[in-house]
Amino acid sequence: MSLPGTKIDRLDHHGLDQALALNRSLRGRLAHRGDIPLVNLYLRDDGPGYCLHSPLRGHR
């Protein structure tokens, strides 16, 4: 038995099912909260000094 917040050494099917159930239960919870700013994940654009995509785009 491990304590909450400790690292997972091995993820089994039961643990994955629990993680996916937690994810499903939280889906959309903040969707209508206009007071919480959106977070830019920099998935397509360069981040501020990190997560730079343009060097990869320009590389041949």
Side-chain angles (χ1 to χ4, degrees):
M1 181 173 144
S2 60
L3 296 174
T6 59
K7 71 180 184 78
I8 298 172
D9 291 322
R10 182 176 177 277
L11 182 63
D12 59 11
H13 288 289
H14 178 68
L16 180 58
D17 288 342
Q18 286 182 314
L20 293 173
L22 175 63
N23 189 10
R24 278 191 299 274
S25 74
L26 298 174
R27 185 179 353 176
R29 291 280 178 115
L30 300 177
H32 304 290
R33 295 280 310 265
D35 59 320
I36 299 174
L38 295 176
V39 175
N40 190 345
L41 299 177
Y42 304 108
L43 300 176
R44 296 184 181 182
D45 300 317
D46 289 347
Y50 62 92
C51 195
L52 302 177
H53 299 281
S54 57
L56 291 173
R57 281 189 203 106
H59 184 64
R60 295 197 185 274

